[in-house]
Amino acid sequence: MISATLLATFQKLLGKENVMDSEADRHAYSYDAAVLDAVVPELVLRPTNSEQLGRTVALCNENKLPMTVRGAGTNLSGGTIPTKEHGVVILTNGLNKILEINEQDLYAVVEPGVVTAKFAAEVAKRGLFYPPDPGSQAVSTLGGNVAENAGGLRGLKYGVTKDYVMGVNFWNAEGEYVKSGGKTVKCVTGLNIAQLMVGSEGTLGVYDQIILKLVPPPVASKAMLAEFDDINKASETVAAIIANKIVPCTLELLDNATIKYVDDFTKAGLPRDAAAILLIEVDGGHVALVEDDAVKVLDICKKNGARHVQTAKDAAEKNKLWEARRNALPALARARPTTVLEDATVPRSQIPAMIKAINDIGSKYRLQIGTFGHAGDGNLHPTILTDRRDKEEFTRVEHAIDEIFDIALQLGGTLSGEHGIGIAKAKWLEKETSKATIIFSRRLKKAVDPEYLLNPGKIIGG
Amino acid sequence: MSADVHQLAQMLHELDDQMVSCMKCGLCQAVCPVFAETMSEGDVARGKIALLENLAKEMIQDPQGVQKKLNMCLLCGSCAANCPSGVKVLDIFLKARVIVNTYMGLPAAKKAIFQGLLTKPALFNSVLDVASKFQGVFTKTANEVIGSSCSRIQAPVIGERHFMPLAKKPLRKLEAPRNSRPGKSGYRIAFFPGCLIDKVYPQIGQAVLKIMEHHEVGVYMPAGQACCGIPALASGDKNSFDKLVACNVDVFEKENFDYLLTACATCTATMHEIWPLMSGNLPQSMQDRIAALATKVMDVNQFLVDVLKVEAPVAGTGTKVTYHDPCHLKKSMKVSEQPRLLLKTNPRVEFVEMADADRCCGCGGSFNLEHYTLSKEIGTRKRNDIVASEAQVVATGCPACMLQISDMLSQHHDKVAVKHVVELYAETL
Ligand SMILES: Cc1cc2nc3c(=O)[nH]c(=O)nc-3n(C[C@H](O)[C@H](O)[C@H](O)COP(=O)(O)OP(=O)(O)OC[C@H]3O[C@@H](n4cnc5c(N)ncnc54)[C@H](O)[C@@H]3O)c2cc1C
Ligand code: SF4
Ligand code: SF4
């Protein structure tokens, strides 16, 4: 139990309204977007400035309370599910200021609770570009993005969150301030701690300020939708585009099952018999160049056996081409009560093998699976449609997930392209890496967080 | 766990099938107007659903805490309209309010109003008629352009609100019940003014009648109409709701017509969607009668544009008018283009779009009464967007939104008039 004195100390520090201990409030912070069992925290705290955040961490440390930092709670791996005993949830949505957008030096300094899309919009207003665009960007926080190393549709060409992190200042387990990285393009002062913090899921420190790189935006773009009656042809098309030294900003794939689900939902008249469709968008700093690339891509699609290619002439048509991709998750999510969204990732040449394996696993376990994803970087989202209340079916789902991971690893891929490990995938980590990797990570964790108070149990278990 | 809470949990299982489709993605955080102010997960759809689930699983001991969160909601439907999983959030919340509030009991004041007054239309009307005569004694005019009042003396409910006065004469007294045959349009409608148009904004009702006359549409406007029932239902009082629905079904069933029109977005959505939704426990014959009437319910803007094919000839110049999308019109009824088109029929109107036109105004019926500070914070954002558009008039399709927007503009001393779309359309005839 958290003592009345400690509660009063928190209330004095943060204000009464920012210390939540009622049953209803605590239950509202017991889950995230992962399909896992909820754990109810003992206390929920909302610091509203940097100093309060530091003091909150220090107080939790002094009182041996395990802390789980929570942004928007949209992660898909249980990263914000608190610890069973005396778990404290620390909210970052009171720390949501953009501190600086520097147009000369192309960087921004933000607090961790800034919402990704709001930040991207502010940056765009100044004629600059922050590319990482996870599907959850309308609500996800930059702190959550950094802690999960979030990707998005633009990953292939523009990279993922880690490619934009220049510096992270954070509170360590004891509540002392650690600075890493900086505002300069070149910076080799000390260990590269900033990158260590990326993807750390709240296990190594609590971010206070993040320095992000900005880039000039593309001035033109062109979108195309290509249909294939053989998934291998789609994959060969992807390989050929890249072999021709064109890097599209989007290269999205929908498999046959997903096409059917989307068509059932939108009644948009999609090609239900197509094995796959590719949504391709090229962009760049020059209209003529983009037009050139688009013509080349069109040609490559046809040469590699696309049975039909549509090119958007204007923004309205582009919007229409995107319709199918935009509706992939909504269509799949509506089909059955529970949606298990996975993100096994393979080298892009292995996509046909991976999709075939996923479909075989689906038949073996009698499950409905639709697969869509980022064909350019091999990051697939096999989405299992089920009902978690049906125990027997859900056991089959769990077996299927095990096998999907096994196949991804056999094909030279990885457990998670962007959703993180959290508690959902911690048990598979050793299979992808090695025993020594886990031991090394645990030693690192122990060195910086000897009491195991920073989001314990996530990524490396323990 | 007490036996009682166990019983409550059992009742909530009815909602299981709908709640399970929430995948806890959290995307509703982007659009919930209450969450935008409080940033508290228990206030957003995902949080409320999780709380109801845990209450149903008997993991929560204190239903009152959940009830509080459940009532902290505008029932605006922004979450449902944006939900990738298609969760029927409003269905869940309304049914949950009935279950939880029935279990917890209605507060005495609400009981007196719903059961003693609202369900007895004749009595309700006469009480308010008396009130309208005396209101000048207690209130003074606050804003001439808007026509709002504020309290001369400290009245407990009015507080700092700038409210619209009750009309001197309600629509009922201004316009006799009627039952006319269709003219050359060939259509015949029934008209349901609803409480706010009858008692506060009779001029909107008069505009509708004028428009129908112009287009030669036959009108059935019977006496003895009752409230659509949403205030009672939103407070969880299903009994009063059922009585009000039955009263209206009796009155409107007497005649034949093509559409049942309202000029109140909230009434339209309630009668079209919520009447059938909440009729499941009634005898089949009553369910059928409700369904038959509900399918005929249509918003007046939609009728004019989609059925009568009113068109906007040219872009107008003159008064700058902007439009606020009532949640119950755009998000529930998917009506948003039609009112804009109607505004453009007025040659003296220059239509300007405001930012976030479909953001909730923060009224939410009794939400405004119970959480005024929050309602005002949400409403102030709307007010700021209206003012930024530089419009001289803000038009909308729901008298409840008009009340809230008038209050917000008036408190800021803005000289922006608040009108219903049909008032501006009627001007052109
Ligand atoms: C519909 C949907 C679509 C999605 N699409 C994508 C996608 O395209 N690409 C992708 O990569 N992910 C995607 N995700 C997953 C998720 O949105 C991302 O992982 C996102 O980065 C999480 O952000 P958040 O603010 O919700 O973080 P949370 O879920 O709140 O937290 C995530 C992790 O970050 C830690 N954390 C948060 N703030 C801090 C801080 N200040 N200091 C230290 N640790 C912190 C938490 O402890 C937790 O471990 C999607 C999720 C959903 C529901
Ligand atoms: S958007 Fe819909 S599915 Fe997602 S959390 Fe909200 S209600 Fe649930
Ligand atoms: S109905 Fe409106 S106020 Fe209520 S939870 Fe949904 S978005 Fe929020």
Side-chain angles (χ1 to χ4, degrees):
Chain A
M1 267 300 283
I2 288 166
S3 74
T5 340
L6 183 57
L7 209 59
T9 312
F10 277 128
Q11 286 175 344
K12 192 152 168 252
L13 175 69
L14 306 173
K16 259 203 162 93
E17 69 285 6
N18 292 319
V19 178
M20 289 160 265
D21 65 342
S22 78
E23 188 186 39
D25 274 319
R26 290 184 295 111
H27 274 258
Y29 294 103
S30 61
Y31 54 79
D32 51 33
V35 186
L36 293 169
D37 289 337
V39 176
V40 184
E42 213 163 301
L43 191 63
V44 181
L45 303 169
R46 183 188 356 232
T48 52
N49 63 43
S50 162
E51 205 190 314
Q52 286 183 1
L53 180 63
R55 282 293 299 145
T56 301
V57 174
L59 278 166
C60 287
N61 178 62
E62 281 160 29
N63 292 281
K64 307 278 170 277
L65 301 172
M67 19 184 164
T68 297
V69 190
R70 181 181 172 105
T74 66
N75 77 85
L76 291 155
S77 44
T80 45
I81 295 184
T83 309
K84 284 204 172 83
E85 301 278 312
H86 309 308
V88 173
V89 168
I90 302 175
L91 303 177
T92 61
N93 66 14
L95 297 153
N96 56 4
K97 285 194 279 300
I98 299 173
L99 301 171
E100 183 185 0
I101 296 180
N102 194 309
E103 293 167 53
Q104 262 106 46
D105 296 327
L106 300 186
Y107 69 82
V109 185
V110 298
E111 291 187 328
V114 172
V115 170
T116 315
K118 284 192 182 151
F119 174 65
E122 272 313 309
V123 167
K125 266 192 209 158
R126 290 165 172 77
L128 291 170
F129 187 32
Y130 177 71
D133 59 343
S136 52
Q137 60 174 331
V139 295
S140 74
T141 64
L142 290 167
N145 291 167
V146 173
E148 298 286 356
N149 188 12
L153 265 52
R154 301 193 183 110
L156 173 64
K157 177 166 182 176
Y158 290 99
V160 296
T161 304
K162 72 165 192 257
D163 300 307
Y164 294 84
V165 176
M166 298 171 73
V168 180
N169 296 342
F170 61 92
W171 299 102
N172 71 8
E174 287 86 26
E176 295 156 343
Y177 207 60
V178 183
K179 292 182 171 186
S180 70
K183 297 170 181 172
T184 51
V185 173
K186 297 179 177 173
C187 174
V188 292
T189 314
L191 296 176
N192 192 352
I193 302 175
Q195 285 298 329
L196 181 65
M197 296 311 287
V198 176
S200 63
E201 299 189 17
T203 61
L204 300 178
V206 177
Y207 315 152
D208 177 62
Q209 285 187 3
I210 303 162
I211 307 168
L212 294 167
K213 179 170 90 174
L214 306 175
V215 295
V219 296
S221 67
K222 193 109 201 167
M224 274 157 281
L225 194 75
E227 288 173 32
F228 298 86
D229 45 24
D230 176 352
I231 190 129
N232 284 300
K233 290 181 188 163
S235 178
E236 281 154 18
T237 303
V238 171
I241 293 171
I242 291 163
N244 273 275
K245 304 192 177 53
I246 299 171
V247 186
C249 61
T250 327
L251 233 177
E252 293 292 297
L253 175 135
L254 271 64
D255 79 343
N256 174 265
T258 307
I259 295 169
K260 285 185 188 153
Y261 282 114
V262 174
D263 193 51
D264 287 342
F265 171 49
T266 60
K267 311 265 183 292
L270 290 179
R272 299 180 68 92
D273 58 340
I277 52 183
L278 281 180
L279 174 71
I280 310 165
E281 191 171 324
V282 286
D283 72 356
H286 256 286
V287 179
L289 253 150
V290 172
E291 289 292 336
D292 247 27
D293 279 354
V295 171
K296 277 191 212 153
V297 171
L298 186 71
D299 191 47
I300 295 169
C301 287
K302 292 207 170 127
K303 275 200 187 125
N304 284 278
R307 63 180 204 194
H308 183 66
V309 189
Q310 260 176 286
T311 308
K313 284 183 208 61
D314 50 31
E317 278 192 33
K318 174 170 146 184
N319 197 26
K320 204 147 186 303
L321 291 191
W322 269 86
E323 210 42 48
R325 171 60 180 86
R326 251 199 311 271
N327 280 306
L329 185 59
L332 293 165
R334 278 169 165 84
R336 293 287 307 279
T338 309
T339 311
V340 181
L341 186 62
E342 281 305 338
D343 76 326
T345 300
V346 292
R348 62 181 157 254
S349 61
Q350 300 295 338
I351 286 178
M354 187 66 197
I355 291 193
K356 181 175 182 308
I358 291 169
N359 290 337
D360 290 347
I361 293 169
S363 330
K364 176 173 165 193
Y365 290 105
R366 291 170 286 123
L367 294 169
Q368 293 165 264
I369 308 183
T371 302
F372 64 99
H374 320 304
D377 50 35
N379 180 196
L380 295 175
H381 292 304
T383 305
I384 309 178
L385 315 177
T386 176
D387 185 341
R388 64 170 188 257
R389 296 170 299 179
D390 182 338
K391 295 261 155 35
E392 185 273 327
E393 180 173 324
F394 208 73
T395 312
R396 283 186 273 131
V397 171
E398 284 166 345
H399 290 312
I401 295 173
D402 282 349
E403 286 193 23
I404 289 175
F405 287 154
D406 276 341
I407 291 282
L409 296 182
Q410 276 170 34
L411 295 173
T414 178
L415 288 171
S416 171
E418 54 183 18
H419 293 170
I421 299 300
I423 42 182
K425 294 181 193 165
K427 65 169 176 172
W428 284 289
L429 197 59
E430 191 177 324
K431 216 178 215 174
E432 177 171 339
T433 58
S434 66
K435 180 110 197 130
T437 312
I438 307 286
I439 293 172
F440 182 86
S441 308
R442 287 198 179 150
R443 282 185 189 151
L444 196 68
K445 164 87 175 159
K446 189 144 184 93
V448 298
D449 179 18
E451 305 275 357
Y452 264 67
L453 296 174
L454 294 171
N455 215 8
K458 310 296 151 54
I459 312 181
I460 48 169
Chain B
M1 174 76 43
S2 74
D4 264 13
V5 180
H6 175 71
Q7 200 187 2
L8 172 65
Q10 290 301 311
M11 292 196 289
L12 285 169
H13 283 308
E14 181 196 321
L15 306 177
D16 257 9
D17 283 338
Q18 287 184 309
M19 295 202 291
V20 72
S21 63
C22 169
M23 58 177 170
K24 305 288 183 295
C25 69
L27 294 189
C28 37
Q29 294 172 88
V31 294
C32 176
V34 175
F35 181 78
E37 306 300 331
T38 66
M39 306 278 258
S40 171
E41 174 86 24
D43 292 335
V44 80
R46 173 172 72 166
K48 290 180 176 122
I49 292 172
L51 289 177
L52 285 169
E53 282 173 337
N54 287 0
L55 192 57
K57 286 185 203 142
E58 300 182 37
M59 283 163 61
I60 288 185
Q61 317 289 323
D62 170 26
Q64 208 166 356
V66 180
Q67 183 191 32
K68 249 170 82 183
K69 298 282 180 201
L70 206 52
N71 290 341
M72 189 76 142
C73 173
L74 293 153
L75 297 174
C76 67
S78 303
C79 46
N82 189 52
C83 171
S85 200
V87 179
K88 299 244 180 332
V89 187
L90 289 189
D91 297 13
I92 296 173
F93 289 170
L94 281 170
K95 287 181 182 163
R97 281 187 185 203
V98 170
I99 295 170
V100 176
N101 293 357
T102 305
Y103 167 83
M104 305 289 289
L106 270 191
K110 281 192 176 170
K111 210 180 251 170
I113 296 177
F114 297 142
Q115 294 168 8
L117 209 52
L118 201 56
T119 47
K120 304 185 174 85
L123 178 62
F124 181 46
N125 286 336
S126 63
V127 169
L128 287 185
D129 286 350
V130 175
S132 78
K133 298 204 177 68
F134 287 103
Q135 62 183 350
V137 181
F138 303 110
T139 58
K140 60 177 197 271
T141 305
N143 186 315
E144 295 292 348
V145 177
I146 298 171
S148 57
S149 303
C150 56
S151 186
R152 275 183 204 280
I153 50 169
Q154 210 45 44
V157 184
I158 298 172
E160 58 192 301
R161 287 178 176 77
H162 286 198
F163 61 96
M164 296 304 294
L166 290 169
K168 286 199 187 70
K169 271 192 175 178
L171 185 68
R172 245 171 321 108
K173 295 269 169 74
L174 293 167
E175 303 287 340
R178 61 200 64 193
N179 193 358
S180 58
R181 298 285 119 205
K184 72 172 189 286
S185 76
Y187 290 106
R188 188 165 125 89
I189 59 114
F191 182 41
F192 177 88
C195 302
L196 285 178
I197 290 181
D198 181 53
K199 293 164 184 62
V200 181
Y201 294 111
Q203 68 273 25
I204 299 175
Q206 289 179 304
V208 172
L209 294 172
K210 176 179 168 190
I211 293 166
M212 296 308 147
E213 196 169 321
H214 170 84
H215 288 287
E216 301 195 26
V217 174
V219 174
Y220 172 52
M221 185 172 79
Q225 303 186 26
C227 163
C228 70
I230 194 68
L233 187 69
S235 297
D237 185 353
K238 175 79 161 54
N239 274 336
S240 299
F241 174 79
D242 287 343
K243 277 188 196 149
L244 292 164
V245 176
C247 176
N248 284 317
V249 171
D250 284 345
V251 171
F252 282 102
E253 258 179 2
K254 292 200 178 104
E255 287 286 335
N256 267 324
F257 45 83
D258 303 301
Y259 299 99
L260 173 49
L261 294 195
T262 89
C264 170
T266 302
C267 296
T268 311
T270 303
M271 296 160 72
H272 189 264
E273 318 254 290
I274 314 236
W275 280 10
L277 174 77
M278 298 304 296
S279 70
N281 65 324
L282 304 174
Q284 190 60 46
S285 60
M286 189 61 192
Q287 287 188 36
D288 295 343
R289 290 166 67 199
I290 290 174
L293 200 57
T295 51
K296 289 188 181 177
V297 174
M298 192 186 269
D299 165 64
V300 64
N301 299 288
Q302 188 181 7
F303 175 72
L304 290 172
V305 175
D306 295 357
V307 179
L308 293 187
K309 311 281 183 217
V310 168
E311 284 176 8
V314 279
T317 51
T319 313
K320 276 192 182 169
V321 179
T322 191
Y323 177 73
H324 158 71
D325 283 295
C327 295
H328 294 147
L329 213 46
K330 180 163 181 194
K331 289 154 197 153
S332 305
M333 303 300 300
K334 311 279 178 268
V335 172
S336 64
E337 286 312 314
Q338 297 92 328
R340 286 177 168 80
L341 184 139
L342 282 181
L343 290 175
K344 292 174 189 162
T345 60
N346 192 323
R348 289 188 301 279
V349 163
E350 180 191 338
F351 181 72
V352 289
E353 200 67 69
M354 70 170 108
D356 293 330
D358 62 356
R359 204 174 188 287
C360 179
C361 69
C363 178
S366 59
F367 180 87
N368 175 282
L369 297 177
E370 284 157 30
H371 307 283
Y372 186 62
T373 316
L374 198 53
S375 168
K376 201 169 134 178
E377 276 166 21
I378 300 168
T380 303
R381 290 184 190 238
K382 178 57 63 182
R383 174 263 166 193
N384 293 345
D385 287 333
I386 294 170
V387 171
S389 77
E390 297 183 350
Q392 294 142 287
V393 178
V394 52
T396 187
C398 182
C401 300
M402 289 171 70
L403 278 182
Q404 166 83 344
I405 291 172
S406 299
D407 182 12
M408 296 302 118
L409 290 168
S410 180
Q411 288 194 37
H412 287 89
H413 313 289
D414 300 316
K415 303 291 178 224
V416 182
V418 184
K419 300 232 175 209
H420 193 290
V421 173
V422 294
E423 292 182 78
L424 294 167
Y425 176 63
E427 267 181 18
T428 66
L429 306 177

